């Protein structure tokens, strides 16, 4: 059966500014599982309700790990105890206790505990769902002979009127020095400072054997090339290729104070085939009737899978006097067992093995009188940053622009709009942190009524490019501003752009574009914490009439709101896609990131008396690697993509709740998306037409916009099949059009 999947171009809803605070952020999402797994053969038991962990470091402005006596400076060690709430409900009355060993005294501590001799106790109050709380304790040691700092830490709390508790092992120092400090260092791929990695290490009691067992039994294999997910992405996906699984192993060991390094080797064909087949559990048995002559899947002999899998990685750790091999992916693996000869070791993943993402913003300008495409257009790159994909797991990039407008003149007036673009990388692990700011280059437009004096901003384009060992570079473009129009650009027609000094700037300080470059599954837990942060901020301005307070709320929380929308879409899609993979008997995973852009833009009304904050979610790249199970029809790839495409199109529209009309807002707020446009077409009796190379002439007769026709024509000419309503539908009193672009070869539809 031939089907198609898709990602729709844009979904949008608008909410009037006067009711913005009360209505816009009432985002409601279905409860999500703690660990959403798409990859076959992977599972884990439910987490403990509460976990306590600890890290050891030097007490300095730039602390470094301090797990060996030889690393201790000035006989002082800083112990950071962290309590993790492992589920969605708040835990109350949280009490953390520890007992310092004889000869260990307090040098500095925050917050202050209750002290009774060597016993310390902290009342941490309530820890919200999936949140955490930390205390920092710097201790003095009696001398180099002191190796045990405490008797372990204990945490007690109340959850749903019941008691929960947890204990972490004693904080101890190993004698001597670490052989190589880089073997305890945090790296982009094996980030030991990541709270999610530290949390997992605490759950595993910092025990090397428990870490290996977890990787061997709970983390599955996906076949792809290079470092894509890193430790966090592999943890969230419960799967990865050999290099990413090794990164998680190295990170967990180092976070436990155990030196670790990577090892590289080459598997034999039979070993690679065994690892490939591990992606398909025994339950994936082909059922039903497959007609004779049907092409069936044989993943164990797939040349690409074999090439990816034969290039193998594992890790070594030193928990005693020597390094031991740890290769958790292959069947029968045990600590100390290897499956091939090592060809090299390294402490950090080489840069050449990392998949990367470049984010570039291009501004296009034209001088007055030269607005046609025949000349006068110039472009400049005003923002350009490249990131390791492993650094983008759960770390969205938020694009905004500072806008400054100055006006002058009397007879001949002029307005100069200066735009300063910036990126802010935020982290789902720290939802209250404003994030890391990266500034671009300011650019201007000059709008004047003096003849030929204007320099007009005609377009702004966001390009996101994926590159690295996984394959050729891929660029996804998102148009943020186009005053010429897509159809005019394609057809080379002259465009009528007016330069009005009194016009509004192209962007404002509230416009935000949240770019999620996600190479792994999305963990739902951090999203719950993110929603709590937004709700608290909203409650702080509830009932406020001061527009400055409302503006501050918007500017401070738009990135969090956008990320909540994007993350909720991804987590829900992951869960449903995993169910579809099971029913279709395929293994599906991301070998390169999804690119999802959620936009929030303030758009003034035509008369300037009010404004709307419009949200949109745009799946710029939503491709996924699909491998049918052995013996399954190769057609299952198309079947899976079809189901996933329909699912994600619906989710794009459903992620924003529809606002029903009210007495003071009789129009309400509709969601504009491909799914809702096609539903409206059915309700309004509008026929859906199929446009391919043979039927392209029918496109001219459709009652849709010129830009839509130009885009559809380009899609058909590139080999896609398009499904589109024969005329624009009416949604909330406004015309709207959307379409599906089907790839007949892969089943994907854009």
């Amino acid at each position: 059966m031939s089907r198609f999947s898709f990602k729709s171009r844009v979904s949008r809803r608008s909410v009037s500014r006067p009711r913005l605070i009360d209505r816009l952020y009432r985002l409601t999402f279905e409860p999500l599982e703690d660990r959403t797994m798409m990859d076959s053969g992977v599972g884990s038991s439910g987490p403990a309700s509460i976990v306590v962990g600890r890290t050891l470091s030097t007490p300095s402005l730039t602390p470094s790990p301090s797990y060996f006596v030889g690393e201790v400076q000035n006989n002082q060690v800083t112990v950071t105890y962290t309590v993790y709430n492992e589920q969605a409900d708040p835990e109350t009355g949280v009490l953390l206790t520890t007992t310092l060993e004889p000869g260990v005294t307090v040098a500095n501590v925050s917050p202050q505990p209750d002290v009774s001799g060597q016993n310390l106790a902290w009342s941490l109050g309530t820890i919200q769902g999936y949140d955490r709380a930390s205390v920092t304790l710097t201790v003095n040691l009696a001398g180099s002979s002191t190796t045990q700092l405490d008797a372990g830490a204990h945490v007690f709390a109340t959850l749903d009127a019941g008691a929960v508790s947890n204990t972490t092992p004693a904080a101890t120092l190993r004698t001597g020095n670490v052989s190589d400090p880089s073997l305890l260092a945090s790296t982009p791929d094996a980030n030991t400072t990541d709270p999610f990695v530290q949390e997992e290490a605490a759950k595993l009691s910092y025990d090397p054997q428990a870490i290996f067992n977890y990787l061997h039994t709970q983390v599955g294999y996906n076949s792809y090339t290079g470092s894509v997910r890193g430790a966090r992405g592999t943890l969230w996906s419960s799967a990865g290729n050999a290099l990413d699984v090794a990164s998680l192993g190295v990170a967990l060991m180092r976070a436990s104070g155990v030196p670790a390094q990577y090892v590289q080797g080459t598997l034999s064909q039979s070993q690679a085939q065994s690892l490939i087949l591990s992606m398909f559990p025994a339950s994936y048995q082909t059922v039903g009737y497959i007609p004779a002559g049907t092409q069936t899947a044989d993943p164990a002999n797939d040349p690409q899978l074999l090439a990816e899998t034969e290039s193998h990685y594992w890790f070594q750790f030193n928990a005693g006097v020597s390094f031991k091999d740890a290769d958790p992916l292959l069947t029968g693996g045990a600590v100390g067992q290897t499956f091939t000869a090592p060809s090299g070791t390294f402490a950090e993943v080489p840069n050449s093995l990392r998949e990367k993402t470049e984010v570039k913003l291009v501004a296009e300008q034209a001088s007055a009188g030269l607005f046609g495409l025949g000349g006068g257009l110039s472009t400049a790159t005003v923002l350009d940053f490249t990131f390791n994909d492993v650094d983008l797991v759960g770390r969205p990039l938020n694009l905004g622009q500072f806008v400054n407008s100055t006006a002058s003149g009397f007879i001949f007036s002029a307005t100069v709009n200066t735009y300063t673009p910036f990126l802010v990388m935020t982290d789902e692990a720290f939802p209250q942190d404003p994030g890391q700011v990266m500034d671009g280059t300011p650019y201007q437009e000059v709008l004047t009524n003096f003849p030929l004096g204007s320099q007009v901003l005609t377009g702004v384009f966001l390009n996101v490019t994926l590159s690295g060992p996984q394959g050729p570079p891929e660029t996804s473009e998102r148009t943020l501003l186009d005053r010429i129009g897509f159809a005019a650009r394609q057809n080379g027609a002259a465009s009528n752009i007016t330069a009005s000094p009194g016009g509004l700037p192209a962007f404002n300080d509230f416009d935000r574009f949240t770019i999620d470059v996600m190479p792994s599954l999305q963990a739902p837990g951090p999203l719950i914490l993110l929603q709590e942060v937004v709700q608290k901020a909203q409650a702080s301005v509830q009932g406020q009439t001061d527009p400055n307070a409302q503006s501050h709320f918007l500017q401070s929380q738009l990135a969090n709101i956008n990320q909540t929308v994007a993350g909720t879409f991804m987590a829900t899609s992951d869960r449903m896609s995993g169910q579809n993979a099971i029913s279709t008997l395929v293994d599906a995973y991301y070998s390169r990131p999804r690119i999802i852009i959620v936009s929030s833009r303030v758009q003034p009304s035509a008369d300037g008396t009010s404004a709307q904050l419009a949200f949109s979610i745009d799946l710029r790249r939503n491709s996924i690697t699909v491998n049918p199970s052995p013996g399954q029809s190769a057609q299952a790839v198309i079947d899976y993509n079809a189901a996933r495409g329909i699912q994600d199109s619906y989710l794009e529209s459903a992620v924003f709740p529809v606002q029903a009309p009210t007495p003071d807002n009789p129009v309400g707020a509709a969601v504009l998306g491909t799914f809702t446009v096609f539903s409206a077409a059915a309700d309004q009796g509008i026929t859906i037409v199929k446009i391919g190379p043979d039927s392209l002439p029918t496109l001219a007769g459709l009652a849709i916009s010129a830009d839509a026709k130009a885009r559809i024509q380009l899609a058909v000419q590139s080999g896609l099949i398009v499904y589109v309503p024969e005329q624009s539908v009416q949604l909330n009193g406004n015309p709207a059009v959307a379409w599906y672009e089907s790839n007949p070869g892969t089943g994907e539809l854009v």
Side-chain angles (χ1 to χ4, degrees):
M1 177 170 19
S2 178
R3 301 183 184 177
F4 50 85
S5 72
F6 55 83
K7 62 181 182 183
S8 40
R9 287 289 183 191
V10 176
S11 307
R12 177 172 295 149
R13 61 164 298 195
S14 298
V15 181
S16 60
R17 183 67 180 274
R19 297 182 57 80
L20 197 58
I21 302 301
D22 293 335
R23 296 177 50 217
L24 181 60
Y25 305 108
R26 207 171 298 156
L27 301 177
T28 56
F29 305 104
E30 295 181 6
L32 297 169
E33 298 172 3
D34 173 70
R35 189 68 67 82
T36 305
M37 290 168 288
M38 179 185 302
D39 306 286
S40 60
V42 180
S44 63
S45 58
S49 298
I50 195 167
V51 168
V52 59
R54 46 97 180 124
T55 60
L56 307 182
S57 61
T58 56
S60 64
L61 294 177
T62 55
S64 59
S66 184
Y67 291 93
F68 286 76
V69 170
E71 296 173 324
V72 175
Q73 300 177 12
N74 301 320
N75 286 328
Q76 286 191 335
V77 176
T78 295
V79 185
T80 301
Y81 299 105
T82 303
V83 178
Y84 304 91
N85 184 345
E86 292 288 297
Q87 44 76 64
D89 295 325
E91 293 174 327
T92 61
V94 180
L95 177 66
L96 173 67
T97 67
T98 191
T99 300
L100 300 181
E101 288 294 297
V104 179
T105 58
V106 176
N108 191 21
V109 60
S110 178
Q112 288 295 321
D114 294 325
V115 180
S116 176
Q118 295 292 90
N119 300 315
L120 308 179
W122 291 266
S123 296
L124 302 181
T126 298
I127 301 181
Q128 298 297 327
Y130 296 106
D131 204 353
R132 60 189 182 275
S134 297
V135 302
T136 302
L137 170 67
T138 299
V139 295
N140 296 313
L141 308 183
S144 59
S145 61
T146 303
T147 58
Q148 184 167 333
L149 309 183
D150 62 19
H154 309 267
V155 65
F156 310 88
T158 299
L159 173 64
D160 295 331
V164 293
S165 63
N166 188 250
T167 300
T168 195
T172 58
L173 300 172
R174 291 171 60 179
T175 58
N177 291 280
V178 62
S179 59
D180 181 353
S182 68
L183 302 183
L184 279 177
S186 181
T187 68
D189 315 86
N191 187 349
T192 62
T193 65
D194 189 324
F196 302 110
V197 171
Q198 292 183 345
E199 181 178 4
E200 191 66 34
K203 291 163 63 176
L204 297 170
S205 300
Y206 309 109
D207 178 7
Q209 184 63 56
I211 292 172
F212 178 84
N213 292 344
Y214 160 74
L215 295 171
H216 183 57
T217 62
Q218 303 298 319
V219 178
Y221 176 69
N222 293 155
S223 180
Y224 53 89
T225 303
S227 177
V228 179
R229 301 174 187 170
R232 180 188 286 190
T234 305
L235 180 65
W236 283 8
S237 298
S238 292
N241 69 354
L243 182 55
D244 278 338
V245 172
S247 288
L248 178 56
V250 168
L252 290 172
M253 290 294 179
R254 293 180 183 179
S256 303
V258 179
Q261 63 185 3
Y262 296 84
V263 191
Q264 183 176 7
T266 302
L267 295 178
S268 67
Q269 183 179 31
S270 62
Q271 290 170 328
Q273 288 174 327
S274 174
L275 189 49
I276 290 170
L277 291 176
S278 73
M279 296 193 293
F280 308 96
S283 60
Y284 275 33
Q285 300 293 330
T286 303
V287 295
Y289 172 70
I290 296 181
T294 299
Q295 182 182 356
T296 58
D298 184 12
N301 290 297
D302 183 288
Q304 179 176 338
L305 295 179
L306 284 171
E308 293 170 348
T309 305
E310 287 174 359
S311 180
H312 192 55
Y313 300 88
W314 65 99
F315 64 96
Q316 296 173 340
F317 67 91
N318 185 346
V321 296
S322 62
F323 280 93
K324 295 182 179 181
D325 287 285
D327 192 343
L329 283 175
L330 290 175
T331 303
V335 171
Q337 184 177 5
T338 59
F339 297 88
T340 186
S343 59
T345 61
F346 48 92
E348 181 174 350
V349 172
N351 194 53
S352 60
L353 290 179
R354 290 178 176 142
E355 281 281 310
K356 297 181 181 295
T357 296
E358 179 187 26
V359 177
K360 180 187 294 187
L361 192 68
V362 177
E364 177 190 78
Q365 293 179 321
S367 300
L370 299 174
F371 297 133
L373 295 180
L377 294 177
S378 63
T379 60
T381 298
V382 296
L383 183 144
D384 192 352
F385 293 99
T386 299
F387 306 89
N388 298 318
D389 284 357
V390 297
D391 289 325
L392 297 178
V393 179
R395 296 183 181 93
L397 302 170
N398 300 280
L399 173 66
Q401 309 206 44
F402 295 116
V403 182
N404 181 49
S405 296
T406 58
S408 61
F410 179 62
I411 297 177
F412 294 110
S413 59
T415 298
V416 178
N417 296 321
T418 302
Y419 307 95
T420 303
F422 61 88
L423 273 182
V424 180
M425 178 188 283
T426 56
D427 192 338
E428 291 179 10
F430 306 98
Q432 295 181 339
D433 192 314
Q436 175 188 355
V437 181
M438 294 158 276
D439 293 324
T441 302
Y443 60 99
Q444 291 182 332
E445 65 175 342
V446 180
L447 306 178
T448 178
N449 57 4
F450 186 79
L452 303 180
S454 291
Q455 187 75 18
V456 181
L457 187 64
T458 55
V460 178
F461 307 97
L462 172 64
N463 296 321
V464 182
T465 301
L466 308 179
S467 64
Q470 188 62 29
E474 298 179 45
T475 297
S476 299
E477 182 183 81
R478 167 68 188 274
T479 300
L480 306 187
L481 173 72
D482 187 358
R483 286 172 168 160
I484 293 176
F486 187 82
R489 291 178 185 274
Q490 290 296 112
N491 301 326
S495 54
N496 298 317
I497 301 176
T498 59
S500 171
L504 293 172
F507 300 98
N508 60 66
D509 292 338
F510 295 98
D511 292 341
R512 291 291 184 273
F513 303 90
T514 298
I515 310 159
D516 243 306
V517 181
M518 194 63 171
S520 74
L521 302 188
Q522 169 68 53
L527 303 177
I528 295 176
L529 182 57
L530 202 60
Q531 291 179 68
E532 292 172 352
V533 171
V534 174
Q535 290 166 358
K536 286 182 179 179
Q538 180 183 353
S540 68
V541 297
Q542 200 75 33
Q544 284 268 11
T545 58
D546 181 6
N548 291 329
Q550 296 187 359
S551 295
H552 176 73
F553 167 71
L554 283 176
Q555 288 185 312
S556 66
Q557 293 302 316
L558 276 177
N560 280 347
I561 294 167
N562 286 356
Q563 177 58 11
T564 303
V565 171
T568 300
F569 170 85
M570 290 188 292
T572 309
S573 173
D574 289 344
R575 181 176 60 184
M576 297 175 69
S577 296
Q579 296 168 351
N580 289 338
I582 294 172
S583 63
T584 318
L585 298 180
V586 302
D587 187 53
Y589 53 86
Y590 299 103
S591 53
R592 262 189 169 168
R594 287 171 279 187
I595 302 174
I596 297 178
I597 301 175
V598 175
S599 308
S600 51
R601 303 195 67 177
V602 172
Q603 300 174 341
S605 61
D607 59 8
T609 60
S610 63
Q612 291 182 327
L613 182 57
F615 279 86
S616 68
I617 179 170
D618 190 4
L619 309 188
R620 287 285 85 190
R621 186 185 190 277
N622 199 32
S623 298
I624 193 168
T625 296
V626 184
N627 295 310
S629 61
Q632 170 67 307
S633 169
Q635 185 74 14
V637 173
I638 295 178
D639 294 342
Y640 175 81
N641 280 334
R644 180 170 178 266
I646 295 170
Q647 152 207 303
D648 282 357
S649 179
Y650 169 75
L651 289 177
E652 269 196 300
S653 299
V655 73
F656 295 108
V658 178
Q659 292 287 344
T662 59
D664 57 346
N665 179 37
V667 175
V671 177
L672 176 60
T674 308
F675 193 90
T676 50
V677 167
F678 272 59
S679 297
D683 294 339
Q684 297 168 24
I686 298 173
T687 301
I688 304 297
V689 297
K690 174 183 176 181
I691 300 178
D694 297 336
S695 54
L696 191 56
T698 63
L699 178 62
L702 301 185
I704 59 177
S705 70
D707 278 0
K709 291 179 181 179
R711 292 185 182 275
I712 291 172
Q713 178 175 333
L714 191 63
V716 173
Q717 290 173 342
S718 68
L720 302 178
I721 305 297
V722 172
Y723 300 85
V724 61
E726 63 181 356
Q727 67 183 66
S728 296
V729 305
Q730 292 295 314
L731 280 180
N732 235 25
N734 297 311
V737 66
W739 62 93
Y740 297 134
E741 300 171 359
S742 173
N743 184 326
T746 65
E748 293 183 333
L749 186 146
V750 179

